[in-house]
Amino acid sequence: MANPLYDRLFGAYAGKQTPFLRLADGRTVTHAQFLEQAAQIAHVTAKLGLKPGDRVAAQIEKSPEALALYAACAQAGLIFLPLNTAYTADELSYFIENSGAALIVCDGRSRETLQPIASDLGARIETLNADGSGSLTDSAATMPTTFATVDRTGDDLAAFLYTSGTTGRSKGAMLTQDNLLSNAETLAQEWRFTADDVLLHALPIFHTHGLFVATNIVLITGGSMIFLPKFDLDQIIAQMPRATSMMGVPTFYTRLLGDARFTRDLAQHMRLFVSGSAPLLAETHVAFEERTGHRILERYGMTETNMNTSNPYDGDRRAGTVGLPLPGVELKVTNPETGEILPRGEIGQIEVRGPNVFKGYWQMPEKTAAELRADGFFITGDLGLVDADGYVTIVGRNKDLIISGGYNIYPKEIELLLDEQPGVLESAVIGVPHPDFGETVLGILVPRPGQTPDTQAIMQTVGAALARFKHPRTLIVLDELPRNTMGKVQKNILRDQYKDMFQPG
Ligand code: MLC
Ligand code: AMP
């Protein structure tokens, strides 16, 4: 019997004192140490009564122990559900309830807030703090350092990642072991990762990019990671000389280019820079090459599918494109109305099919059916084209989505809240260009007749309800929203009107 995810990502490292995580304070966690702690955590979950297939919701800071919880879930056959550390209690209660999590792992500071939610749902709660301390690791310390890996098949679920939707309700994307493994194997090969690689890892580990792309690739090839708690320019510049490769969202690269310490010398020895999760401006690609001599390798993916396309490692990395479909991934551009395939060069909606594509949304068959066709093609909601050479360019989105610093924000969720506020008749939330985050959130309010909404009070309410990164940077009050003849709000007009609001100069 077997457990493909555990066996392929972790199994080979038992007893190996090779470096896995290189921490900013100079400590190194070896593969063996990491695996022993994961096994101890797996024992804790078993002692708490968790059974294979149960969900473990984790809202914890990035740390070696947080990553060990991921490995423990794989070993114990549990479904790992990582959550953005910025989510508020309101947001969390939805994810916990919707997923039916059997265990919540949170920072000690959130325990009191989350305890009632856990009690209501009959979930267990354990703490894990940024420094690795907490009830989870306290209990783990007394446990055996090996754990009998639970049998699973490649078709079993390994993780849930919640993605918001255009209706404002988040959906749990169900990812199988095979989804994760197939993509990690393909990417490791395509990007030539080996045991000699040292990946500079400054991404969060609660999203596809930092967890399944970056971490799984390193695990599958035996290399190590410089594991930083977050993106911090000083740290990145200090650590780069020890790294061979880096992955990041476009904000990482624009911030690096904005710092005079980031020189050709500093980057010379690097093998690879990868960008994704949001569009990399062609001008950033060009400026990066001018500064360092390296051409950033841009790829395209999403929560539901992991990675779909990539620029080539050897060959032409084309600025402004996301490259070619990965081996095993089929990509077509279709007419959004009819679903018919469009000729090369024409813009339409991007659909993908392959072993990377998820199983569907947890307990939402209608939403699954609306986006995942019976023949296996997933409708991404991205608009793009394929050129004569097969390169894919994303030109926009068919979904109302803002991407700020690589985080997805669904306007509907914010609009629903704004619409409920005193004095507000209706609202529109749009994304406008921002030099650091790529896009940022702008809220537009229309007052009820004769009323003046208190924008400061509204910002406070928004602050308590929604994660910081979703907060509108500014609220603007307008007499009315532009509408087309069908009565639909014309967000394109608003986006155009405010496009220069945060641009320098
Ligand atoms: C932080 N803030 C953000 C923000 N990140 N606001 C908007 N958008 C963001 N992305 C808030 C902070 O809370 C802070 O609030 C203020 O903005 C300024 O913070 P900062 O110190 O400048 O931000 P920083 O902590 O440096 O974070 C910026 C960042 C980070 C870009 C480094 O957001 C990041 O690591 N992003 C990566 C996201 C990611 O991994 N995406 C992958 C999704 S997977 P205050 O209160 O101080 O004003 C996916 C699929 C795929 O999309 O293809 O990969
Ligand atoms: P998420 O739901 O967080 O997984 O975000 C996925 C979305 O990010 C995709 O549907 C795209 O809209 C966007 N995205 C990811 N990578 C790129 C890229 N390289 N260029 C443009 N958009 C991207």
Side-chain angles (χ1 to χ4, degrees):
M1 292 300 276
N3 176 327
L5 188 72
Y6 186 83
D7 298 345
R8 284 289 290 120
L9 293 187
F10 306 100
Y13 300 122
K16 295 241 164 83
Q17 295 301 342
T18 36
F20 174 41
L21 303 177
R22 302 165 188 271
L23 309 181
D25 63 9
R27 275 188 304 143
T28 297
V29 179
T30 67
H31 283 104
Q33 288 166 336
F34 179 80
L35 243 59
E36 285 169 12
Q37 183 161 51
Q40 291 181 310
I41 296 175
H43 276 290
V44 176
T45 66
K47 202 169 163 207
L48 289 170
L50 270 72
K51 291 179 290 304
D54 280 348
R55 274 76 63 204
V56 175
Q59 191 195 37
I60 44 183
E61 295 294 338
K62 185 176 174 185
S63 67
E65 294 79 7
L67 202 56
L69 176 62
Y70 166 54
C73 287
Q75 191 166 26
L78 303 167
I79 299 174
F80 187 53
L81 195 177
L83 292 159
N84 195 320
T85 46
Y87 288 145
T88 63
D90 279 3
E91 290 168 311
L92 284 179
S93 60
Y94 171 78
F95 299 124
I96 294 167
E97 186 171 355
N98 184 267
S99 66
L103 171 65
I104 301 166
V105 183
C106 66
D107 194 283
R109 288 171 305 183
S110 322
R111 183 178 192 134
E112 214 173 308
T113 320
L114 292 180
Q115 187 66 63
I117 302 170
S119 303
D120 281 356
L121 299 169
R124 312 298 296 255
I125 192 161
E126 296 290 339
T127 61
L128 179 57
N129 304 316
D131 63 1
S133 64
S135 67
L136 183 74
T137 36
D138 282 350
S139 304
T142 61
M143 296 290 171
T145 53
T146 57
F147 181 87
T149 304
V150 169
D151 286 332
R152 298 269 90 185
T153 71
D155 206 36
D156 280 322
L157 297 178
F160 280 8
L161 289 191
Y162 274 79
T163 83
S164 294
T166 39
T167 56
R169 282 194 71 203
S170 285
K171 303 163 287 184
M174 300 187 287
L175 295 157
T176 67
Q177 291 208 346
D178 278 348
N179 291 153
L180 304 183
L181 274 179
S182 64
N183 216 234
E185 263 156 17
T186 303
L187 294 173
Q189 263 179 25
E190 290 294 296
W191 297 344
R192 312 280 193 271
F193 270 81
T194 71
D196 294 331
D197 265 295
V198 181
L199 179 77
L200 189 46
H201 192 303
L203 287 158
I205 53 168
F206 45 71
H207 275 312
T208 302
H209 197 164
L211 188 61
F212 300 141
V213 182
T215 305
N216 284 359
I217 289 180
V218 170
L219 280 165
I220 218 160
T221 49
S224 63
M225 298 192 267
I226 300 174
F227 203 61
L228 302 178
K230 59 173 285 201
F231 182 88
D232 174 279
L233 258 181
D234 293 344
Q235 280 288 348
I236 295 283
I237 285 165
Q239 297 290 344
M240 195 168 286
R242 305 164 68 201
T244 62
S245 44
M246 185 175 116
M247 291 181 197
V249 296
T251 302
F252 285 22
Y253 296 108
T254 50
R255 286 188 183 180
L256 277 170
L257 286 171
D259 194 307
R261 293 171 298 172
F262 183 59
T263 59
R264 185 173 281 257
D265 268 2
L266 192 78
Q268 190 104 49
H269 68 288
M270 290 284 280
R271 181 179 76 75
L272 180 64
F273 291 94
V274 179
S275 176
S277 308
L280 181 78
L281 294 179
E283 67 195 55
T284 309
H285 191 279
V286 171
F288 199 88
E289 186 175 13
E290 275 170 14
R291 176 85 65 93
T292 65
H294 289 286
R295 291 177 74 81
I296 297 175
L297 187 154
E298 185 171 8
R299 76 352 171 241
Y300 157 65
M302 55 196 305
T303 300
E304 289 91 334
T305 65
N306 288 304
M307 300 303 103
N308 295 311
T309 73
S310 172
N311 270 280
Y313 187 84
D314 298 314
D316 198 7
R317 298 181 195 167
R318 295 192 187 165
T321 83
V322 293
L324 306 153
L326 286 165
V329 178
E330 294 170 78
L331 182 146
K332 60 184 184 179
V333 174
T334 62
N335 177 322
E337 263 80 60
T338 64
E340 276 168 30
I341 298 184
L342 294 171
R344 282 213 165 175
E346 279 190 33
I347 295 171
Q349 68 184 3
I350 295 177
E351 301 190 27
V352 293
R353 178 165 72 180
N356 53 319
V357 174
F358 76 141
K359 272 267 181 185
Y361 298 113
W362 171 246
Q363 292 183 335
M364 292 186 184
E366 295 87 17
K367 290 201 171 32
T368 302
E371 292 178 43
L372 191 55
R373 295 186 192 278
D375 65 4
F377 271 97
F378 177 65
I379 305 167
T380 61
D382 291 309
L383 297 174
L385 59 86
V386 182
D387 73 10
D389 300 330
Y391 280 72
V392 179
T393 300
I394 314 258
V395 297
R397 297 171 205 134
N398 208 12
K399 50 192 173 190
D400 194 11
L401 164 69
I402 300 167
I403 305 184
S404 165
Y407 287 145
N408 286 9
I409 299 160
Y410 280 85
K412 192 77 191 167
E413 186 183 11
I414 307 165
E415 288 162 358
L416 286 172
L417 184 63
L418 292 177
D419 290 349
E420 284 172 5
Q421 300 311 307
V424 176
L425 179 66
E426 61 174 351
S427 65
V429 168
I430 56 169
V432 290
H434 187 271
D436 187 28
F437 290 129
E439 280 184 294
T440 196
V441 182
L442 201 63
I444 294 154
L445 304 177
V446 177
R448 288 182 180 282
Q451 298 191 28
T452 310
D454 179 346
T455 49
Q456 264 189 341
I458 293 176
M459 283 304 278
Q460 268 181 8
T461 307
V462 170
L466 300 178
R468 180 82 183 92
F469 66 89
K470 299 178 188 171
H471 299 181
R473 207 157 279 264
T474 308
L475 287 178
I476 291 172
V477 179
L478 287 186
D479 289 343
E480 58 179 11
L481 299 174
R483 290 183 190 274
N484 65 15
T485 48
M486 308 292 289
K488 195 174 176 318
V489 177
Q490 289 173 299
K491 288 197 171 178
N492 52 331
I493 294 185
L494 293 170
R495 280 193 286 264
D496 193 53
Q497 194 171 343
Y498 296 107
K499 68 178 188 307
D500 296 325
M501 203 157 163
F502 300 102
Q503 294 300 69

Short mmCIF file of all heavy atoms in Angstrom, two decimals, residues 164-191:
data_model
loop_
_atom_site.label_atom_id
_atom_site.label_comp_id
_atom_site.label_asym_id
_atom_site.label_seq_id
_atom_site.Cartn_x
_atom_site.Cartn_y
_atom_site.Cartn_z
N SER A 164 -12.32 33.04 -3.57
CA SER A 164 -13.58 33.76 -3.54
C SER A 164 -14.28 33.59 -4.86
O SER A 164 -13.73 33.06 -5.81
CB SER A 164 -13.34 35.23 -3.26
OG SER A 164 -12.83 35.34 -1.96
N GLY A 165 -15.50 34.08 -4.92
CA GLY A 165 -16.23 33.93 -6.17
C GLY A 165 -16.88 35.23 -6.55
O GLY A 165 -16.91 36.16 -5.75
N THR A 166 -17.40 35.30 -7.77
CA THR A 166 -18.04 36.53 -8.23
C THR A 166 -19.33 36.79 -7.47
O THR A 166 -19.86 37.88 -7.49
CB THR A 166 -18.31 36.45 -9.74
OG1 THR A 166 -18.74 35.13 -10.03
CG2 THR A 166 -17.08 36.76 -10.54
N THR A 167 -19.86 35.76 -6.78
CA THR A 167 -21.07 35.98 -6.00
C THR A 167 -20.71 36.44 -4.58
O THR A 167 -21.60 36.73 -3.80
CB THR A 167 -21.87 34.68 -5.88
OG1 THR A 167 -21.00 33.70 -5.32
CG2 THR A 167 -22.41 34.23 -7.20
N GLY A 168 -19.42 36.44 -4.27
CA GLY A 168 -19.01 36.91 -2.95
C GLY A 168 -18.78 35.78 -1.95
O GLY A 168 -18.17 35.97 -0.94
N ARG A 169 -19.28 34.57 -2.24
CA ARG A 169 -19.06 33.46 -1.32
C ARG A 169 -17.84 32.65 -1.74
O ARG A 169 -17.71 32.30 -2.91
CB ARG A 169 -20.28 32.54 -1.30
CG ARG A 169 -21.42 33.09 -0.48
CD ARG A 169 -22.45 32.00 -0.21
NE ARG A 169 -21.95 31.01 0.73
CZ ARG A 169 -22.42 29.76 0.81
NH1 ARG A 169 -23.36 29.36 0.02
NH2 ARG A 169 -21.93 28.93 1.71
N SER A 170 -16.99 32.34 -0.79
CA SER A 170 -15.78 31.59 -1.12
C SER A 170 -16.11 30.12 -1.34
O SER A 170 -17.02 29.57 -0.73
CB SER A 170 -14.77 31.70 0.01
OG SER A 170 -14.20 32.96 -0.01
N LYS A 171 -15.31 29.53 -2.21
CA LYS A 171 -15.51 28.13 -2.56
C LYS A 171 -14.24 27.35 -2.22
O LYS A 171 -13.13 27.82 -2.48
CB LYS A 171 -15.76 28.01 -4.07
CG LYS A 171 -16.93 28.83 -4.57
CD LYS A 171 -16.92 29.03 -6.08
CE LYS A 171 -15.86 30.00 -6.54
NZ LYS A 171 -15.87 30.29 -7.96
N GLY A 172 -14.42 26.16 -1.67
CA GLY A 172 -13.25 25.34 -1.32
C GLY A 172 -12.84 24.49 -2.51
O GLY A 172 -13.52 23.54 -2.87
N ALA A 173 -11.70 24.84 -3.12
CA ALA A 173 -11.21 24.07 -4.26
C ALA A 173 -10.57 22.79 -3.73
O ALA A 173 -9.65 22.84 -2.91
CB ALA A 173 -10.20 24.88 -5.06
N MET A 174 -11.08 21.64 -4.20
CA MET A 174 -10.59 20.35 -3.71
C MET A 174 -9.46 19.86 -4.61
O MET A 174 -9.68 19.61 -5.80
CB MET A 174 -11.73 19.32 -3.72
CG MET A 174 -12.92 19.72 -2.86
SD MET A 174 -14.15 18.40 -2.75
CE MET A 174 -14.89 18.46 -4.38
N LEU A 175 -8.28 19.72 -4.03
CA LEU A 175 -7.11 19.29 -4.80
C LEU A 175 -6.69 17.89 -4.36
O LEU A 175 -6.59 17.61 -3.16
CB LEU A 175 -5.96 20.28 -4.58
CG LEU A 175 -6.27 21.68 -5.13
CD1 LEU A 175 -5.44 22.75 -4.44
CD2 LEU A 175 -6.04 21.72 -6.64
N THR A 176 -6.47 17.05 -5.34
CA THR A 176 -6.09 15.66 -5.02
C THR A 176 -4.56 15.54 -4.92
O THR A 176 -3.81 16.42 -5.36
CB THR A 176 -6.56 14.68 -6.11
OG1 THR A 176 -5.83 14.97 -7.31
CG2 THR A 176 -8.05 14.80 -6.37
N GLN A 177 -4.14 14.41 -4.40
CA GLN A 177 -2.70 14.11 -4.35
C GLN A 177 -2.10 14.18 -5.76
O GLN A 177 -1.04 14.77 -5.96
CB GLN A 177 -2.49 12.71 -3.78
CG GLN A 177 -2.83 12.59 -2.31
CD GLN A 177 -2.00 11.49 -1.65
OE1 GLN A 177 -1.37 10.68 -2.31
NE2 GLN A 177 -1.99 11.49 -0.33
N ASP A 178 -2.80 13.58 -6.73
CA ASP A 178 -2.28 13.58 -8.11
C ASP A 178 -2.21 14.99 -8.69
O ASP A 178 -1.29 15.30 -9.46
CB ASP A 178 -3.14 12.69 -9.03
CG ASP A 178 -2.76 11.22 -8.91
OD1 ASP A 178 -1.70 10.94 -8.31
OD2 ASP A 178 -3.53 10.37 -9.39
N ASN A 179 -3.20 15.84 -8.36
CA ASN A 179 -3.16 17.22 -8.85
C ASN A 179 -1.83 17.86 -8.45
O ASN A 179 -1.13 18.47 -9.27
CB ASN A 179 -4.27 18.08 -8.24
CG ASN A 179 -5.67 17.74 -8.70
OD1 ASN A 179 -6.63 17.97 -7.98
ND2 ASN A 179 -5.80 17.19 -9.90
N LEU A 180 -1.49 17.70 -7.18
CA LEU A 180 -0.29 18.37 -6.67
C LEU A 180 0.98 17.72 -7.20
O LEU A 180 1.92 18.41 -7.62
CB LEU A 180 -0.28 18.33 -5.13
CG LEU A 180 -1.51 18.92 -4.44
CD1 LEU A 180 -1.34 18.89 -2.93
CD2 LEU A 180 -1.76 20.35 -4.90
N LEU A 181 0.99 16.38 -7.20
CA LEU A 181 2.22 15.68 -7.59
C LEU A 181 2.53 15.86 -9.07
O LEU A 181 3.68 16.09 -9.44
CB LEU A 181 2.06 14.18 -7.32
CG LEU A 181 2.42 13.73 -5.91
CD1 LEU A 181 2.19 12.22 -5.79
CD2 LEU A 181 3.86 14.08 -5.56
N SER A 182 1.49 15.76 -9.91
CA SER A 182 1.74 15.84 -11.35
C SER A 182 2.35 17.20 -11.68
O SER A 182 3.30 17.31 -12.45
CB SER A 182 0.47 15.60 -12.15
OG SER A 182 -0.47 16.62 -11.89
N ASN A 183 1.81 18.25 -11.05
CA ASN A 183 2.30 19.59 -11.35
C ASN A 183 3.72 19.79 -10.81
O ASN A 183 4.58 20.35 -11.50
CB ASN A 183 1.35 20.62 -10.74
CG ASN A 183 1.20 21.87 -11.59
OD1 ASN A 183 1.40 22.97 -11.12
ND2 ASN A 183 0.88 21.72 -12.87
N ALA A 184 3.98 19.30 -9.62
CA ALA A 184 5.33 19.46 -9.04
C ALA A 184 6.36 18.76 -9.91
O ALA A 184 7.45 19.29 -10.18
CB ALA A 184 5.36 18.91 -7.62
N GLU A 185 6.01 17.56 -10.38
CA GLU A 185 6.95 16.81 -11.22
C GLU A 185 7.23 17.54 -12.52
O GLU A 185 8.38 17.69 -12.94
CB GLU A 185 6.39 15.40 -11.50
CG GLU A 185 6.97 14.38 -10.56
CD GLU A 185 6.10 13.14 -10.37
OE1 GLU A 185 5.21 12.88 -11.19
OE2 GLU A 185 6.34 12.44 -9.36
N THR A 186 6.15 18.02 -13.14
CA THR A 186 6.31 18.72 -14.43
C THR A 186 7.15 19.99 -14.25
O THR A 186 8.09 20.24 -15.03
CB THR A 186 4.92 19.10 -14.98
OG1 THR A 186 4.16 17.91 -15.11
CG2 THR A 186 5.02 19.80 -16.31
N LEU A 187 6.83 20.77 -13.24
CA LEU A 187 7.53 22.05 -13.06
C LEU A 187 9.00 21.83 -12.70
O LEU A 187 9.89 22.55 -13.18
CB LEU A 187 6.85 22.89 -11.98
CG LEU A 187 5.44 23.37 -12.31
CD1 LEU A 187 4.81 24.04 -11.10
CD2 LEU A 187 5.45 24.34 -13.50
N ALA A 188 9.25 20.84 -11.86
CA ALA A 188 10.64 20.57 -11.46
C ALA A 188 11.48 20.26 -12.69
O ALA A 188 12.62 20.72 -12.84
CB ALA A 188 10.68 19.42 -10.46
N GLN A 189 10.89 19.48 -13.60
CA GLN A 189 11.61 19.14 -14.84
C GLN A 189 11.76 20.34 -15.75
O GLN A 189 12.84 20.62 -16.25
CB GLN A 189 10.82 18.07 -15.59
CG GLN A 189 11.33 16.69 -15.33
CD GLN A 189 10.50 15.65 -16.07
OE1 GLN A 189 9.87 15.92 -17.08
NE2 GLN A 189 10.51 14.44 -15.53
N GLU A 190 10.64 21.03 -15.96
CA GLU A 190 10.65 22.16 -16.90
C GLU A 190 11.62 23.24 -16.45
O GLU A 190 12.23 23.93 -17.27
CB GLU A 190 9.25 22.76 -17.01
CG GLU A 190 8.25 21.89 -17.73
CD GLU A 190 8.58 21.70 -19.20
OE1 GLU A 190 8.57 22.69 -19.94
OE2 GLU A 190 8.87 20.55 -19.59
N TRP A 191 11.71 23.45 -15.15
CA TRP A 191 12.55 24.54 -14.62
C TRP A 191 13.91 24.04 -14.13
O TRP A 191 14.65 24.78 -13.50
CB TRP A 191 11.80 25.29 -13.51
CG TRP A 191 10.53 25.96 -13.99
CD1 TRP A 191 10.19 26.22 -15.29
CD2 TRP A 191 9.45 26.45 -13.19
NE1 TRP A 191 8.95 26.83 -15.33
CE2 TRP A 191 8.47 26.99 -14.06
CE3 TRP A 191 9.19 26.49 -11.81
CZ2 TRP A 191 7.28 27.56 -13.60
CZ3 TRP A 191 8.01 27.05 -11.36
CH2 TRP A 191 7.06 27.59 -12.25
#
